[in-house]
Amino acid sequence: MQTGAPGLHVAIVMDGNGRWAAARGLLRSEGHRAGVDAVRRVVAAAPELGVGTLTVFALSSDNWRRPGPEIAALLALFEEYLLHESRACAEHGVQIRVIGRRDRIPPSLASAIQFAERATASARTIELRIAIDYSGRDAILRAACWMLSSLEVSQKEFARRLGEVTHGGRPSADVDLLIRTGGENRLSDFLLWECAYAEMVFTSKLWPDFGAKDLEAALHDFASRERRFGGLPAAAAGD
Ligand code: IPE
Ligand code: MG
């Protein structure tokens, strides 16, 4: 399964905003704001590093359990980003697509998503997929229910449907490299199908501290790995 744009598909679980803020005596929402700056830095650096698709986990479906004021601050931040940065994104070739459910977010955020997707539709340098109210399990379940009437389904067809149920509008794309900041070594219901053969890089660095150099280092690590997809190492394959 190919990604929307040529190049690698890097997915990021952006974790650690709250701890970053707490360490500075700031509100958690200020940590999230600093997290948006990190997104900007990483998106700007990604194309030159060979990244064609970048999927970032902005709000998990399980994050609704957080206190109302924090959720409100996050939703407002997404809306602000989508409305105010679409033009710059379009100019820099950043195509924005939001994946996840759209039926539980405020209508104003849904409109901002539509605005950003339209404004950046013809950008081709990099595809930025922002996961909002996203759950990998939920996406798989909904695609599976949709396919229930089909007797046999290819993985390609399933991936196409998976892309549609998450509103990506494109086939879901296999992740090459998954990065998680913040020191936790888990997937947290992010891109379960798409990460089947993803290489993983976990770092204790908190997301607001993450920058171009860190992305470069993660990609350097990725480049040193031999991806076998269940096959044999290249050296042994010819035996
Ligand atoms: C990740 O940072 C951002 C979102 C989930 C939106 P956290 O808010 O989880 O930060 P920590 O883990 O509490 O530091
Ligand atoms: Mg966290």
Side-chain angles (χ1 to χ4, degrees):
M1 275 159 268
Q2 292 301 306
T3 54
L8 295 172
H9 183 185
V10 173
I12 306 183
V13 180
M14 310 179 289
D15 200 7
N17 296 351
R19 281 165 282 166
W20 183 92
R24 288 162 179 75
L26 301 172
L27 294 171
R28 290 180 61 83
S29 56
E30 293 175 275
H32 296 314
R33 188 166 285 282
V36 174
D37 293 336
V39 171
R40 272 190 213 100
R41 292 195 295 270
V42 166
V43 170
E48 272 187 29
L49 296 170
V51 179
T53 305
L54 184 66
T55 305
V56 295
F57 210 176
L59 188 80
S60 145
S61 294
D62 288 323
N63 288 149
W64 293 118
R65 294 191 190 131
R66 292 189 179 200
E70 180 170 353
I71 295 285
L74 279 166
L75 296 173
L77 205 53
F78 301 153
E79 203 172 309
E80 187 184 316
Y81 178 86
L82 292 165
L83 290 178
H84 295 135
E85 304 208 19
S86 293
R87 182 192 291 220
C89 283
E91 279 168 13
H92 291 101
V94 180
Q95 184 181 108
I96 296 174
R97 303 187 85 91
V98 174
I99 61 168
R101 290 177 60 159
R102 301 253 171 116
D103 57 325
R104 303 190 291 193
I105 56 174
S108 56
L109 176 56
S111 309
I113 291 172
Q114 213 172 47
F115 171 78
E117 289 184 335
R118 285 194 186 144
T120 62
S122 52
R124 289 286 175 271
T125 305
I126 185 169
E127 185 178 329
L128 173 63
R129 298 185 182 190
I130 306 172
I132 296 177
D133 194 3
Y134 174 88
S135 153
R137 280 186 171 177
D138 182 65
I140 291 171
L141 194 61
R142 281 184 298 129
C145 288
W146 191 2
M147 307 258 38
L148 215 54
S149 55
S150 316
L151 279 179
E152 218 173 302
V153 178
S154 67
Q155 290 200 7
K156 198 171 163 201
E157 175 63 11
F158 189 80
R160 193 177 70 75
R161 295 287 170 123
L162 195 58
E164 285 181 36
V165 295
T166 54
H167 295 276
R170 299 238 171 109
S172 69
D174 281 1
V175 171
D176 296 299
L177 170 64
L178 176 104
I179 300 169
R180 181 170 184 144
T181 60
E184 314 278 10
N185 300 353
R186 56 176 172 252
L187 203 45
S188 297
D189 200 13
F190 193 38
L191 303 172
L192 299 179
W193 170 279
E194 294 84 349
C195 281
Y197 279 101
E199 296 293 330
M200 312 226 176
V201 169
F202 296 104
T203 164
S204 57
K205 194 165 257 203
L206 304 175
W207 175 249
D209 291 327
F210 197 88
K213 286 272 164 278
D214 301 296
L215 178 64
E216 195 175 349
L219 285 161
H220 189 73
D221 185 344
F222 170 81
S224 72
R225 301 189 189 182
E226 190 186 10
R227 303 185 78 194
R228 296 191 292 274
F229 300 95
L232 295 177
D239 291 356

